[in-house]
Amino acid sequence: MFTLISTARVYPPNEETLLDTRTVPGELKWAASPTEGGWEEVSIMDEKNVPIRTYQVCNVMEPSQSNWLRTDWIPRSGAQRIYVEIKFTLRDCNSLPGVTGTCKETFNLYYYESNNDREHYIRESNFLKIDTVAADESFTQVDIGDRIMKLNTEVRDVKVTTRKGFYLAFQDVGACIALVSVRVFYKTCPLTVRNLATFPDTNTGADTSSLVEVRGSCVNQSEEREEPKMYCGADGEWLVPIGGCVCNLGYEEKSGACQACTVGFNRAVSTDRACSKCPPHSHSEKEGAAVCDCNPGYYRSESDPASVPCTQPPSAPQQLISEVNETSVVLEWSAPLRLGGRKAGSILCLPCSQDVLFSPQQSGLRATRVCVSELQAHTRYTFTILARNGVSQGHSAGAGQSVSVTLTTNQAAPSPVTSIQAGDVTRHGVSLAWQQPDRPNGVILEYEVKYYEKDQKESSYRIMKTASRSADITGLSPLTVYLFQVRARTAAGYGEFSGPLEFSTNSDPLPLIGDAASSTLLLLSISGGVILLLTSTAVFIISRRYKHIWPQKNKIYVDPFTYEDPDQAVHEFAKEIDASYIHIEKVIGIGEFGEVCSGRLRLQGKREIYVAIKSLKAAYSNKQRQDFLSEASIMGQFDHPNIIRLEGVVTRCKPVMIITEYMENGSLDAFLRKHDGHFTVIQLVGMLRGIASGMKYLSDMSYVHRDLAARNILVNSNLVCKVSDFGLSRVLQEDPENAYTTRVTGTYHSPGGKIPIRWTSPEAIAYRKFTPSSDTWSYGVVMWEVMSYGERPYWDMSNQDVIKAIDEGYRLPPPMDCPVCLHQLMLDCWQTERTHRPSFTQILNMLDKLIRNPTTTLRRTGGDRPVPSLLEPVGGPEFVSVWSAEDCLQAIGMGMYRDTLTTAGYTSPDSLLTLTHQDMTSIGIITPSHQDQILASVQQVLLSHMQQIQEQMPDSMVPV
Ligand code: AMP
């Protein structure tokens, strides 16, 4: 019996055992060959009395031994290299008495790879030899019976990669051996965590030198810093760790894992190794906090790291003192009481217009004083001073940290006029034009031109007043150097004079344009014609020069709703009329706020005129009163023959009233329906021209009407059309939702704010983009209404269908007998892309061209008839038929102003059409009744002139 020294089965962690004879229960029953007399299975007891199986052979006396012992099939389980550890005893031949040369002291180890786990017979020659095993010097002594034996342990390894498993074989060639145990194993690099990456249990490679590259995966709650990698060496050792992972924020590394920070702790930066306690005024309520949240009322700025304490915005600055000096304001204050735990704060002022100057600056102030200048005169401003520190953004909690003051700037005179230009210079005169002052500080009431001979200095100067931005200075001495200065006046008084402009009058008589025109006219009128034809060249020169010397007026419309006190706006733009001067006669309509009556107004020192009186119904709210009067505040800013003229307002007694000029024929849509087919095309175009001219004036003043429609055009007894109804812009502004809530049902604006779908451009319907271009769209619809004598646009289609049709590219067809070019103009106004629509200046030019040259332009598609010789253009294809301003003035009994007007540049009927009350006052036509007469009659005379042309035109031009 063997007695074995302790052989407890504890395997190294990097070895996976495939077979261990000492743990196999029962007999091994390996295949032995020969079955008898060769290897023999012998059970013995180990030191713990556990039976173990051994194989023994001892045929030392017989020659030519070849005893094979083959194991059962051993699955290789993914191993590529297996190790065979054999514990055996081997008798020393010398110790055996009487043995001859047959005794051996070695045995051979073989293997055979196979997928078959139950091979019956494997030919010995199929086995591959692993090694010849001999007993070596290192052994353990074993008691065998009464003798002591040496227990050898030999390990051999071999590559097994081709089959699922293998068999081992032991060949005895004549030794005396006992195989005490056989263990077969392979080596692995065991599961491990390095640098927070887990590397799985990995089989070593097939060769003794091979390294298996393995990618690790980050442990829970960690993320890759650099790809984690290691190599599994052949002996089952991990080598060369590369890269690794880091714990997520809120977690820290502990024993190769990432553990959540406990409550009250956080880990906010990846470079911090461990969790740390929440900084002051912050807390964490759950485990694993990356950032500790600020306690209520405490904040961190965007740039604050999570490691710093939470802080508070500063309290409001204190003791704000303001001082107004005309259009400048100086603000001073003391530092806030509490700075909130941060370093010194800075202030931010709310955004202001770009023109406003802040000294030293608007934001980021360190000092507690700022001077704000270039403010608008007589305007209410609110200044908010906000003490800020790094946590104020988004947490400013408004009033808590800011202090405000609301104050009104003083009245201030306009800034000086700049850029004076001299136009035509003659022996006795010069034309001047200039720009509006940069800061008018109110509505400019007039300009004053001061001029004097340079040699005389200012001792004897002359003054000329004008409401426009141009002046014709006459009565100068020839060949003399003059100095000119201009200043503007508002309700606040005069601004400073501009720097002097030096100019010398001519020596040669060089006629003024007006002179040239009138002499031409004189010649032509002597030839007996009532209608005078000027060559296009002449007209071209006139209009070119006219434009050059008298630039477009650029008075800008002021929204009355920008006034804090609406009454202030009304009285800035409208005259208060004593109710006793008004005689109401009859009700002529119903407006949004009450009845509209006609009546008479007799102002002191003026002749009685007919007026329309809009009154505000008895029970009105404050807002209704404001809304009602806002129309007057708007209308009062306009002065144009095609804009309804405001006479004044009655606000100091009830009912509150708005008095406008009376338009005998009422609104254009009803008027046209009543007179269906009664007008010539040219008369209709004349009406359209008037409307376009009014609209051009409005767009030049940056006023967007938003409700241009025939119903809002009024017609007087001379068929002059004037734009009216200035209320919608406000209605939509105040309640933006209305445009949407009612857009599909509404056809007309009301206090509820309906949008006039059929007249409104798609972009204004869709997203309230109201611009002069959206007014152009509406103008196209008005053209259609006019040319169809008040037909309802899109007939009975629903608003929904109209919107859809427009969106799909559908446009209104030409009304009956509408000249192609007019319909084309409508289509241009209805371009979907608003920037492609014509401006009112372009529309006006186009209509003027049509009116001047009706035979070629207003011809219908049907007829290409020869033009009668009477209207054949003279001297070239672009000849224009124009009646002169002089004739026009004669016809209305105002011939005495011929020179005044021509000198001021009003040489063509076109230019007369642009005259306003202010223009006339500024050039010296000051009698109000004369002004009215000129304004009222010029258009009528021009229209009847067109009528005369019409009567001489081919049939095709006459409406059905
Ligand atoms: P409104 O409130 O401006 O829409 O005016 C209601 C109606 O009163 C209009 O449709 C016109 O028929 C009439 N109306 C308004 N103003 C005048 C006026 N200045 N001259 C004549 N009729 C006017």
Side-chain angles (χ1 to χ4, degrees), residues 672-680 684 788-789 817 958-960:
L672 287 170
R673 282 197 281 271
K674 199 164 138 197
H675 300 282
D676 193 355
H678 286 189
F679 302 108
T680 62
L684 296 176
S788 61
Y789 284 95
D817 301 320
V958 181
V960 183

Side-chain angles (χ1 to χ4, degrees), residues 318 416 618 776:
Q318 306 179 92
T776 294

Side-chain angles (χ1 to χ4, degrees), residues 870-926:
L870 180 66
L871 289 166
E872 197 81 66
V874 181
E878 269 292 294
F879 271 78
V880 179
S881 96
V882 177
W883 199 6
S884 76
E886 187 192 6
D887 284 325
C888 189
L889 291 168
Q890 294 291 3
I892 61 173
M894 293 284 132
M896 64 277 209
Y897 291 121
R898 188 197 71 176
D899 287 349
T900 315
L901 285 163
T902 46
T903 308
Y906 296 93
T907 50
S908 69
D910 280 10
S911 60
L912 290 182
L913 285 171
T914 67
L915 270 175
T916 64
H917 283 274
Q918 277 196 358
D919 291 342
M920 285 187 272
T921 309
S922 71
I923 59 172
I925 305 173
I926 49 168

Side-chain angles (χ1 to χ4, degrees), residues 588-592 596 612 614 644 660-663 667 714 725:
I588 52 169
I590 292 291
E592 207 175 295
V596 182
K614 283 188 180 183
I644 194 82
T660 64
E661 64 179 309
Y662 180 57
M663 302 293 282
S667 49
L714 293 169
D725 210 315

Side-chain angles (χ1 to χ4, degrees), residues 588-598 611-614 628 631 635 644-645 659-670 711-715 724-726 748-749:
I588 52 169
I590 292 291
E592 207 175 295
F593 296 94
E595 289 169 347
V596 182
C597 299
S598 64
V611 288
I613 304 142
K614 283 188 180 183
F628 175 72
E631 184 170 17
M635 219 189 296
I644 194 82
R645 188 179 73 248
I659 319 295
T660 64
E661 64 179 309
Y662 180 57
M663 302 293 282
E664 295 83 351
N665 282 315
S667 49
L668 178 60
D669 60 335
R711 65 178 169 273
N712 290 328
I713 304 293
L714 293 169
V715 189
S724 81
D725 210 315
F726 299 98
Y748 186 67
H749 83 272

